[in-house]
Amino acid sequence: MTAGIKIINDWGTVLVDDTFPTLAMLAQGTTTLDSEGSRYIGNHSGTVAVRSTSVVGYQYFNEIDGYPRGLFLFGPPGAVVEWYVYAPPQEPPSNFGLIIRDGTGRLTFDAGRKAARVAGLRSSSSRPGWQGTAGFDPGRAWAVMPLIYAFDSVNTFRRWGDPQEYLQYEDVSISGGAVNGGTITFGMTQKSRRTYGPYYGSPLPAGFTYASNNAALAVIDVTGY
């Protein structure tokens, strides 16, 4: 028989195996969104869970015109957000607890790390399908992890300074969630503005919009994290 390990719960769900990495917390912090409704939290390679009483979300951007490459939180200005970055367990492993590697030696589970504890999932290709509320144990601490995010990006251009100079404004709204006790609210974040440039040229570029309605959001138990 093929060698390996599987840890299965009472429902028959595989919790840990030696094939697929179990996401573990890579970084965490608490921040307050700025006057534009966003905040940079670093160039982490991973998936972010967010916890706030307001609807917040995140998106990864490449470096552009004064904005660094990495993860940005979005939501209403002044919102306080607890954030948690999850990724496959990183080397070196912990010096205690169960350590599992796959056949190539890749670390797939590390009991000494804070694992992503998924308690629920909301997904749909339409916004009415994934928006709304869900109830969980109010005695636990919950966070929302957007796995696939819906988004609206509205881009406009305005002259600035020199007659040939202009700025690009991007108003961003993305799927996310709010946590109030055991009630999770799934929705689109308030629009946040990003400003690029200055650029040069004539005529002024035409504005444009692009959007996606598809979203998948996991509810993560961060109690004690």
Side-chain angles (χ1 to χ4, degrees):
M1 63 178 290
T2 302
I5 183 172
K6 290 186 186 295
I7 300 175
I8 301 172
N9 67 12
D10 292 342
W11 298 96
T13 302
V14 176
L15 300 177
V16 179
D17 67 14
D18 62 345
T19 304
F20 299 102
T22 299
L23 294 181
M25 191 182 298
L26 179 65
Q28 69 182 112
T30 301
T31 191
T32 301
L33 301 188
D34 63 21
S35 61
E36 296 292 350
S38 69
R39 180 66 69 183
Y40 177 71
I41 60 170
N43 188 20
H44 302 290
S45 177
T47 303
V48 181
V50 289
R51 174 176 166 83
S52 175
T53 56
S54 302
V55 175
V56 295
Y58 84 95
Q59 190 170 357
Y60 185 92
F61 283 88
N62 289 320
E63 181 178 359
I64 179 172
D65 297 324
Y67 294 92
R69 177 194 304 269
L71 298 167
F72 289 82
L73 304 178
F74 293 98
V80 177
V81 185
E82 299 172 55
W83 55 270
Y84 311 83
V85 180
Y86 291 90
Q90 307 292 302
E91 298 283 2
S94 302
N95 56 12
F96 63 91
L98 178 65
I99 302 297
I100 299 175
R101 297 181 181 275
D102 65 14
T104 66
R106 179 183 58 162
L107 189 63
T108 61
F109 179 79
D110 183 344
R113 305 289 173 85
K114 299 175 179 178
R117 303 179 297 200
V118 179
L121 181 67
R122 180 71 67 90
S123 66
S124 179
S125 59
S126 68
R127 295 191 185 186
W130 60 261
Q131 291 179 334
T133 61
F136 291 84
D137 181 356
R140 309 292 293 179
W142 305 105
V144 177
M145 178 186 286
L147 303 172
I148 300 171
Y149 50 81
F151 62 88
D152 293 322
S153 174
V154 180
N155 292 261
T156 57
F157 301 86
R158 299 178 190 171
R159 290 294 179 194
W160 181 83
D162 184 283
Q164 293 294 310
E165 210 171 35
Y166 63 87
L167 296 175
Q168 178 179 350
Y169 300 97
E170 182 181 16
D171 292 317
V172 178
S173 179
I174 57 177
S175 53
V179 179
N180 289 278
T183 301
I184 311 296
T185 302
F186 304 98
M188 296 294 290
T189 64
Q190 180 176 316
K191 288 183 179 179
S192 302
R193 171 157 289 185
R194 290 165 59 89
T195 303
Y196 311 126
Y199 303 114
Y200 300 87
S202 183
L204 194 66
F208 61 92
T209 299
Y210 55 95
S212 171
N213 296 317
N214 187 30
L217 304 104
V219 178
I220 306 296
D221 185 348
V222 294
T223 307
Y225 287 3

